[in-house]
């Protein structure tokens, strides 16, 4: 079955540490997205990519980085510059405008 | 900037009908999407309105009025499993990215 796989499901980060969240899709979608969700709030866009080797900053890109070397993969790195990284991170893909997003099951990141 | 407003909480009884409203202020508006998210889970896509009017998908319907910058999600024959958060999202003409509202928590009571 096609879908989006995010790993790990839970991740703990120490202060000053960089961590990378994995996102893989086998839906053959061109566009991929990373959103952050804080408790009781909506989703805020971190980065998005319409095509391989190209990506754009979203509304809250500071302290994050991404790469898009393959169509299937869109990993997100949370750097030490992100001062409040504890959140639920959601990766999504879409075949095109008006088709909605397919989301992965998410990664819960906690700073310890 | 872009912003969407929706009620924070709605409560209804099983079998009833509930409407969740969404008003938006966005530039480059392309269409309005709705998502359902159960507690602890990922959002799932429910519906999309690119044109004015009503779209029906089973027990769920969604409506858009571009002139009023307004839309709603209508849930009929409510079931306990419909208890979840519902998000409206404005699709932007730029790269298909979406801006999400803060969500409406629907509680269905017996």
């Amino acid at each position: 079955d096609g879908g989006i796989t995010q790993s790990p499901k839970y991740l703990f980060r120490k202060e000053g540490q960089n961590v990378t969240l994995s996102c893989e899709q086998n839906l053959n979608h061109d566009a991929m997205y990373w959103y952050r969700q804080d408790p009781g709030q909506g989703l805020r866009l971190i980065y998005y990519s319409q095509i391989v080797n190209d990506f754009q900053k979203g509304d809250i890109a500071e302290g994050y980085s991404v790469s898009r070397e393959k169509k299937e993969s869109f990993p997100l790195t949370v750097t030490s510059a992100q001062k409040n990284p504890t959140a639920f991170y959601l990766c999504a893909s879409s075949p095109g405008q008006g088709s909605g997003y397919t989301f992965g099951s998410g990664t819960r990141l906690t700073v310890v | 900037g872009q912003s969407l407003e929706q009620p924070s909480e709605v409560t209804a009884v099983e079998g009833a009908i509930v409407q969740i409203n969404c008003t938006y202020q966005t530039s480059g508006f392309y269409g309005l999407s709705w998502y359902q998210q159960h507690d602890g889970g990922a959002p799932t896509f429910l519906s999309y309105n690119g044109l004015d009017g009503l779209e029906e998908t089973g027990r769920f319907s969604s409506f858009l009025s571009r002139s009023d910058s307004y839309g709603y999600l209508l849930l009929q024959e409510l079931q306990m499993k419909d208890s979840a958060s519902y998000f409206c999202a404005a699709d932007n003409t730029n790269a298909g990215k979406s801006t999400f509202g803060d969500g409406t928590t629907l509680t269905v009571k017996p």
Side-chain angles (χ1 to χ4, degrees):
Chain A
D1 289 339
I4 297 183
T5 301
Q6 288 189 242
S7 62
K9 188 170 183 177
Y10 298 95
L11 186 57
F12 298 91
R13 193 195 92 166
K14 295 181 180 179
E15 294 283 350
Q17 194 177 45
N18 291 358
V19 291
T20 297
L21 284 59
S22 171
C23 177
E24 303 278 333
Q25 56 107 351
N26 60 2
L27 298 166
N28 200 32
H29 291 171
D30 285 319
M32 297 187 74
Y33 308 83
W34 274 106
Y35 282 87
R36 167 181 172 144
Q37 186 176 32
D38 293 282
Q41 296 187 30
L43 284 67
R44 292 183 290 167
L45 182 64
I46 305 172
Y47 268 97
Y48 63 101
S49 169
Q50 288 181 278
I51 197 169
V52 174
N53 292 323
D54 186 56
F55 48 82
Q56 306 295 328
K57 292 182 179 180
D59 301 319
I60 56 165
E62 185 175 353
Y64 300 97
S65 65
V66 293
S67 63
R68 187 84 188 276
E69 297 177 1
K70 299 186 299 181
K71 186 175 185 178
E72 301 80 15
S73 180
F74 192 40
L76 174 74
T77 296
V78 183
T79 75
S80 57
Q82 171 51 239
K83 298 307 179 187
N84 184 23
T86 295
F88 188 38
Y89 290 87
L90 289 157
C91 180
S93 70
S94 174
Q97 207 137 33
S99 302
Y101 291 170
T102 299
F103 283 91
S105 56
T107 293
R108 294 193 182 276
L109 174 62
T110 303
V111 175
V112 295
Chain B
Q2 306 195 28
S3 67
L4 295 92
E5 289 191 17
Q6 50 183 129
S8 58
E9 295 181 352
V10 173
T11 301
V13 296
E14 215 172 357
I17 299 172
V18 71
Q19 178 173 312
I20 299 174
N21 298 322
C22 175
T23 58
Y24 60 87
Q25 291 185 338
T26 68
S27 57
F29 178 80
Y30 188 86
L32 194 70
S33 297
W34 289 91
Y35 293 83
Q36 178 191 61
Q37 184 180 33
H38 284 98
D39 202 27
T44 56
F45 174 68
L46 292 176
S47 68
Y48 173 79
N49 293 76
L51 301 173
D52 283 4
L54 191 68
E55 294 285 340
E56 298 179 76
T57 308
R59 295 188 297 116
F60 295 179
S61 303
S62 58
F63 173 83
L64 176 65
S65 169
R66 286 174 172 267
S67 59
D68 296 323
S69 297
Y70 163 76
Y72 66 72
L73 179 69
L74 189 74
L75 296 84
Q76 303 181 70
E77 301 173 15
L78 282 174
Q79 302 174 9
M80 298 296 290
K81 67 178 182 180
D82 296 330
S83 291
S85 292
Y86 293 84
F87 295 89
C88 58
D91 292 4
N92 190 284
T93 52
N94 180 21
K97 63 177 183 175
S98 295
T99 299
F100 284 75
D102 285 343
T104 298
T105 300
L106 170 63
T107 302
V108 180
K109 294 187 173 180

